[in-house]
Amino acid sequence: MTPAGRLRGLRPDWLNSPKVWRTEVLAGLVVALALIPEAISFSIIAGVDPAVGLFASFTMAVVISVVGGRRAMISAATGAIALVIAPLNHEYGLGYLIAAVILAGVIQVVLGALGVAKLMRFIPRSVMVGFVNALAVLIFMAQVPEMRDVPWAVYPLIIGGLALMVFFPKIATVVPAPLVSIVILTVITVGAAIAVPTVGDKGDLPSSLPVPGLPDVPFTLDTLTTITPYAFAMALVGLMESLMTAKLVDDITDTHSNKTRESIGQGVANIVTGFFGGMGGCAMIGQTMINVKVSGARTRLSTFLAGVFLMVLCIVFGPVVSDIPMAALVAVMIMVAFATFDWHSIAPKTLKRMPAGEIAVMAITVVAVVATHNLAIGVVVGAITAMVIFAKRVAHLARVHSVLDPDGTTVVYRVTGELFFASSNDIVGQFDYAGDPDKIVIDLSEAHVWDASSVAALDAIETKYAQRGKTVEITGLNDLSADLHGKLTGELTGSH
């Protein structure tokens, strides 16, 4: 390969292809436009000035585009984070909120370095599907207030925006349909002087860039104990939402992301955001869907430009952006909700074939998320439900079969299946302690001992026979089971 060819191979995709470059730039612009009203809304939830949310979205997007582990994923101020830190701001003020954001970032870096991302493999597919569907419902529900008690003209504008996004891609795909929709609806409302709610009605846009500084709090142990619970909650919610979003983008783009790098990157982005006076954030699934699924972005450039364009739009084009009708952005988010929902998962054909437990886990995840408006809580509830159902299902696979020797002096119990806390207690009652002969053989060659509960159950069986003067021989343990049994047998009760 020539030096020029090697150099081309080292450069980012968007530098090698004008088409990719155009897609990334336009995607970043669409995301920036959609971020403005959302960042302002989340600022209101947290009880802070709109500039605090907008600064957070700017710094989060720019920093994560460099240090994050998932290309094309958008991180900014989010509703989940706003809900977590709102009580702290209401009770102690903005300085404590900013300090909590910085501490949350530090916690995320530590958790990321410790490998918390590896826990993602314990999230079952049914929880993932429930998470995605709940997200789609939340995105749609967030638009409902924008359609209540508004001038009648809002409704035809929303319908027109949706129609543009459905039919424009059939004509041309050079410019993202959401951008076309936003521009056309803005021109119509401004040109015809139609009085409808606009972005400017949400709050004043900042007129200058954020400047770094330390949070205005006393640097004492009292401050640390006050902010730590909020910081820890923010760190966990932010990581869970970000890692779930990264997994979703992995599936959509059929590419792999570095979850450990993403975890640490989220922490770094929140630390930087805190020092610039932002309210913190995490991955935004709605905006990421606009970027990846609707606009077709695939590189870090779109994420970086989303943050840059956000500030440029606010500072340079503030008056123009303020005139964008909320109806245009509501139409975009409704389309995102529709595209995000996994319609195949609720098709009658799918539901007919799916195990009842899987459907229950998906439904419980959706209900928990929608009821709490917290994606992290929904995922935890869904994952716990899935584990309980799985444990119950596997527990019933443990079986005990007995065979009496022809001479009547020995009985062999063959145990099959997985022995753990949910199944081992059941097998204790399947032995005939009084009626069996003096010698009992327990054959575990088709079983596996997983935990201390199983060893304790085997000890209990031996004890019950010993009380009747009978001897028990355990055979067939595989290496791992034998190792665990050897370490723990006789050590699990206070009498030994």
Side-chain angles (χ1 to χ4, degrees):
M1 187 183 290
T2 63
R6 279 197 296 272
L7 184 61
R8 176 180 286 271
L10 290 171
R11 291 191 301 180
D13 292 343
W14 54 269
L15 273 178
N16 296 328
S17 167
K19 184 180 178 182
V20 172
W21 186 85
R22 184 178 65 242
T23 299
E24 299 297 312
V25 171
L26 293 174
L29 180 57
V30 174
V31 171
L33 287 167
L35 271 175
I36 293 171
E38 293 225 340
I40 295 173
S41 298
F42 298 147
S43 299
I44 293 167
I45 291 171
V48 297
D49 189 79
V52 176
L54 289 163
F55 287 157
S57 295
F58 163 60
T59 52
M60 287 294 297
V62 169
V63 174
I64 207 68
S65 70
V66 178
V67 300
R70 172 66 257 177
R71 291 183 298 172
M73 191 166 79
I74 304 296
S75 289
T78 61
I81 298 299
L83 287 168
V84 170
I85 58 177
L88 178 64
N89 179 63
H90 292 317
E91 191 168 346
Y92 295 97
L94 181 61
Y96 281 80
L97 183 152
I98 301 299
V101 170
I102 295 171
L103 180 58
V106 173
I107 293 169
Q108 286 178 326
V109 170
V110 173
L111 290 174
L114 291 174
V116 71
K118 292 175 184 173
L119 296 176
M120 282 302 294
R121 62 186 170 185
F122 295 107
I123 305 295
R125 183 186 176 279
S126 51
V127 174
M128 190 72 193
V129 173
F131 167 82
V132 169
N133 290 347
L135 173 71
V137 173
L138 286 185
I139 291 172
F140 180 80
M141 286 173 61
Q143 311 316 309
V144 173
E146 303 297 338
M147 296 184 278
R148 277 203 204 113
D149 302 321
V150 291
W152 68 268
V154 167
Y155 304 111
L157 285 172
I158 291 174
I159 294 168
L162 290 169
L164 278 167
M165 283 183 283
V166 170
F167 295 110
F168 183 79
K170 300 180 189 301
I171 302 167
T173 56
V174 175
V175 182
L179 181 57
V180 174
S181 177
I182 290 168
V183 170
I184 290 176
L185 293 189
T186 303
V187 170
I188 289 172
T189 53
V190 172
I194 301 172
V196 290
T198 63
V199 171
D201 296 333
K202 287 287 183 182
D204 295 329
L205 302 180
S207 56
S208 61
L209 287 169
V211 291
L214 294 173
D216 183 19
V217 293
F219 292 90
T220 62
L221 189 60
D222 282 346
T223 300
L224 186 62
T225 54
T226 299
I227 66 173
T228 296
Y230 295 95
F232 199 72
M234 177 184 164
L236 292 178
V237 169
L239 278 182
M240 188 171 293
E241 199 156 330
S242 299
L243 292 173
M244 291 291 282
T245 306
K247 193 171 187 298
L248 180 59
V249 178
D250 288 353
D251 294 340
I252 291 170
T253 61
D254 200 22
T255 57
H256 178 70
S257 60
N258 186 331
K259 306 295 191 303
T260 297
R261 177 177 172 180
E262 181 61 37
S263 303
I264 295 171
Q266 287 290 329
V268 172
N270 273 307
I271 292 169
V272 173
T273 296
F275 282 120
F276 275 92
M279 59 182 271
C282 62
M284 291 192 77
I285 307 179
Q287 308 300 335
T288 298
M289 290 300 100
I290 293 176
N291 197 45
V292 174
K293 205 163 187 179
V294 180
S295 302
R298 292 292 183 271
T299 77
R300 296 178 185 275
L301 181 63
S302 56
T303 308
F304 176 79
L305 289 178
V308 172
F309 283 149
L310 175 65
M311 279 295 101
V312 172
L313 288 168
C314 290
I315 295 169
V316 180
F317 299 102
V320 176
V321 172
S322 294
D323 286 336
I324 294 174
M326 283 303 298
L329 298 171
V330 168
V332 170
M333 296 313 291
I334 290 174
M335 184 60 76
V336 168
F338 185 85
T340 300
F341 197 93
D342 186 349
W343 296 100
H344 176 72
S345 68
I346 61 168
K349 190 187 293 184
T350 306
L351 294 175
K352 202 178 289 181
R353 294 178 179 177
M354 192 82 71
E358 302 267 324
I359 297 171
V361 169
M362 183 175 73
I364 288 168
T365 303
V366 172
V367 170
V369 171
V370 173
T372 62
H373 283 242
N374 190 317
L375 293 161
I377 289 175
V379 170
V380 170
V381 170
I384 291 172
T385 304
M387 288 174 189
V388 170
I389 290 173
F390 175 76
K392 190 176 178 184
R393 188 184 301 157
V394 175
H396 291 308
L397 296 178
R399 296 281 187 272
V400 179
H401 304 282
S402 64
V403 178
L404 184 67
D405 270 8
D407 60 7
T409 60
T410 305
V411 64
V412 177
Y413 283 94
R414 179 170 282 111
V415 181
T416 60
E418 308 301 319
L419 300 184
F420 65 112
F421 62 89
S423 62
S424 55
N425 290 328
D426 290 343
I427 70 167
V428 175
Q430 297 185 45
F431 292 79
D432 185 4
Y433 302 103
D436 282 340
D438 290 344
K439 186 177 180 184
I440 296 92
V441 176
I442 301 177
D443 181 5
L444 296 175
S445 56
E446 294 181 37
H448 187 97
V449 178
W450 285 105
D451 59 6
S453 297
S454 305
V455 177
L458 292 172
D459 282 357
I461 292 167
E462 288 190 78
T463 301
K464 287 178 183 290
Y465 278 118
Q467 288 170 349
R468 293 168 172 80
K470 301 175 182 181
T471 60
V472 175
E473 180 186 359
I474 296 176
T475 64
L477 286 167
N478 59 40
D479 291 344
L480 291 175
S481 299
D483 184 50
L484 183 65
H485 185 263
K487 284 179 183 175
L488 297 179
T489 186
E491 302 293 332
L492 298 172
T493 60
S495 59
H496 292 279

